[in-house]
Each structure stands twice: as structure tokens, then as C-alpha cells.
Amino acid sequence: MTQISRDAVRSYYDRNTRLFLRYGSSPETQTIHRSLWPQGVTRIEQALAVSNNLVLEEARALHARLGHLRFTDLGCGVGATLFQILAELPTPTQAVGLTLSPVQAHIAAQARRSLGLSAHILEADFHHVPLAGGFDLVYSIEAFIHAQHPDQYLREAARLLNPGGRLILLDDFLAASDPRAGDWLDAYRTGWFVPHIQTVDEVTTAALDLGLVPSANRNLTPQLRLRNLPDGLARLILNIGQRLPQEHPIVPSMLGSMALQQCLAAGWIEYRWLVFEKQ
Ligand SMILES: C[S@@+](CC[C@H](N)C(=O)[O-])C[C@H]1O[C@@H](n2cnc3c(N)ncnc32)[C@H](O)[C@@H]1O
């Protein structure tokens, strides 16, 4: 597999964000992440907000404990999760969102103005966050997976957090090593611009070295609605797709989505909710 650079990830989001918002999200939520369907969720708008609400729950608990909250979303897309949390928490609360993509930063800044919220949106790289510490909550939804250097991401998260603060990662993690997974993992990583995919153990070991102690680890894969195909049919589509012109990254992205469904269904990748507490 060729290396996936930061510039490639940026360009992927610059070129695809409006398509993701139109076809993969809902006008109400504006999130760029997967829908979750726990019991009782019946509408796509609710399903797209499930992960926001999980982060909101942690944010509420921290706010109740501290009497205030300073939080940052590392890889905030167009700010949808950040704005929902900020709007639902009592004051005083401060929020900063970071995205690598100037297109996303522009859309997020417009949304923030029209919502009348006081959040800060920065176009920046989460490997080198241009902020001093002092945060109570740091989280990333489907963004950690794009880190070229996951350990450097964790170092930054640990630096940003106050003692007792929390880091939340909701993302894909490698679950099982199986020689049959190779082609599908490659197609997922190529199509979705994923430089590395780590196991929970790898991330936890690196986190512990930084004083980030695990406090939750849930497999949310069962709450996804998987659309995996019979292996032969999926391989045929992958083969044909890889011969199509790849100039626009929506083509590899669609193949990456299909590959991810195969990996999730086979149990090679799990969609997990991890929480760490800074000592
Ligand atoms: C799948 S989107 C998720 C967006 C958002 N968390 C949501 O749930 O709607 C991935 C996000 O990660 C961001 N990202 C990827 N690499 C990044 C980096 N090195 N620094 C900052 N953001 C990054 C992208 O800009 C994008 O906003």
C-alpha cells in the first residue's frame, strides 16, 4: 500500500465534503459519520445523532462535576457534533473544533454564525494542535483513523487535557488478523484514506504511557446497519471499480465503503467507543 499523506486526506475531504453532506448525512444533522441504530431509533436523523448524544452524555457528566467545560473536537467535520453539544450544555462552556479541510472549516464557520454560537473553528492538524492545554474533554469521531502518526495524536490529546479530563475515540479498530482480510483492508484503507488501523490494545498501550487510563471500551458494531455483499460479488465490483477513472476521490471512497462493510461483517474491523481519563 502506498503511504497516505496529510495532503491526500485534506484533499479527500475538500473534494468530497459537499457530496458526503448531501448523500451521506441529513440536512438536520450535517454530520459526516456513520448512523447507529440502537433499540428505539427509527429515523436516519436520530441514527446520525446517536454518537453525538453519547459524547454529549460524557460532556454533561463532566460539566456537572466541574461546573464548566472546555472541550475540543479533533477532526470536527463541519462542526455538527460540536454545535449540538455546545447548544445543549449550560454555560460556562467553551468549544474549539479542528479540521484539516479548509472547505469544512469554511462551512463550519458559516454554520456557527447562522446558529449564533461562540465556538472557535480552526483549520489545523491534530498532530500539532495550535492551542495551549486546559481542556476537560477531547474527542474524535471517525477522525483518529486518519492520523499518519497515531502516537503523536495521543500525545497532543494528553497535552491538551487537564487531570481528570477525558479523551473519547469513536472509530474503526483492527479486531482480528486473518489472511483473507488483506485485500479488503487494503481497499478500505486506500478508498477512505486511512494511513493506519490499530488494535484497541495498541492504542491503549500508547495511551497508558501518556497517563491516559482506559475507562470505557464498547463495541458499537452491532448497532450499525451493515450492507455487506456476498464475497464473490463484492470482489467483482472491486475489480471493476479499480479499473474506473479514479481522478475524483468519490470513486475510491465508494469502494472503500464497500470494503469496510465486508471487514465489519467478517469481524476483522470493529467500530468502537473508547474513553480514557487523564491522570
Ligand atoms: C469522517 S470525518 C468526521 C467528521 C466529524 N467528526 C463528524 O463526525 O461529522 C473525518 C474528519 O477528520 C478530519 N481530519 C483528518 N485528519 C486530520 C488531521 N490530521 N487534523 C485535523 N483533522 C483531521 C477531517 O478534516 C474530517 O473533518
Side-chain angles (χ1 to χ4, degrees):
M1 258 205 51
T2 51
Q3 290 214 327
I4 293 162
S5 69
R6 196 182 60 164
D7 288 350
V9 175
R10 182 191 290 112
S11 152
Y12 173 70
Y13 281 106
D14 277 350
R15 298 182 71 190
N16 281 330
T17 288
R18 288 180 202 280
L19 288 171
F20 289 155
L21 290 175
R22 181 164 314 156
Y23 299 108
S25 188
S26 80
E28 198 179 293
T29 54
Q30 294 287 289
T31 46
I32 306 176
H33 61 226
R34 271 160 266 179
S35 52
L36 288 165
W37 301 85
Q39 257 196 341
V41 168
T42 52
R43 291 186 303 116
I44 183 69
E45 293 78 10
Q46 293 173 308
L48 288 166
V50 169
S51 46
N52 294 354
N53 289 330
L54 289 172
V55 180
L56 178 59
E57 236 173 82
E58 287 281 344
R60 278 211 175 101
L62 284 165
H63 199 294
R65 194 207 301 162
L66 300 167
H68 59 87
L69 193 79
R70 197 156 173 250
F71 71 95
T72 181
D73 182 333
L74 301 183
C76 68
V78 298
T81 305
L82 184 92
F83 299 149
Q84 188 196 330
I85 293 173
L86 186 59
E88 297 202 26
L89 284 179
T91 53
T93 301
Q94 287 176 29
V96 184
L98 232 84
T99 172
L100 192 56
S101 153
V103 169
Q104 291 186 342
H106 178 73
I107 298 172
Q110 276 181 334
R112 183 206 54 204
R113 277 193 295 277
S114 70
L115 291 166
L117 291 169
S118 63
H120 294 281
I121 300 294
L122 301 177
E123 181 196 321
D125 179 0
F126 55 43
H127 296 92
H128 306 284
V129 180
L131 296 167
F135 285 87
D136 310 300
L137 174 64
V138 173
Y139 66 86
S140 291
I141 301 180
E142 299 184 24
F144 177 67
I145 198 76
H146 290 300
Q148 281 75 34
H149 305 287
D151 289 3
Q152 174 61 19
Y153 169 104
L154 292 172
R155 264 193 293 281
E156 282 296 76
R159 177 183 68 77
L160 291 169
L161 281 170
N162 292 327
R166 294 201 159 191
L167 167 66
I168 298 172
L169 300 177
L170 176 56
D171 227 314
D172 293 318
F173 294 90
L174 199 57
S177 80
D178 183 332
R180 289 171 303 165
D183 290 350
W184 291 121
L185 283 174
D186 282 355
Y188 158 64
R189 290 184 47 207
T190 307
W192 273 30
F193 290 76
V194 169
H196 302 281
I197 176 160
Q198 296 195 304
T199 62
V200 171
D201 281 353
E202 285 168 328
V203 175
T204 303
T205 302
L208 277 167
D209 280 349
L210 297 160
L212 295 166
V213 175
S215 63
N217 173 6
R218 285 174 63 196
N219 182 9
L220 297 187
T221 316
Q223 295 186 16
L224 296 168
R225 282 192 177 163
L226 296 183
R227 290 168 280 107
N228 57 303
L229 299 171
D231 191 70
L233 176 59
R235 278 186 194 280
L236 180 69
I237 295 172
L238 182 64
N239 217 294
I240 295 170
Q242 284 172 337
R243 286 159 209 259
L244 291 174
Q246 308 280 317
E247 288 92 54
H248 198 288
I250 199 66
V251 177
S253 179
M254 287 167 80
L255 296 176
S257 297
M258 182 183 75
L260 174 60
Q261 297 294 311
Q262 304 303 108
C263 291
L264 289 163
W268 299 322
I269 289 181
E270 286 171 349
Y271 190 56
R272 280 195 174 262
W273 166 264
L274 305 185
V275 184
F276 300 89
E277 184 161 314
K278 175 78 187 296
Q279 295 307 288

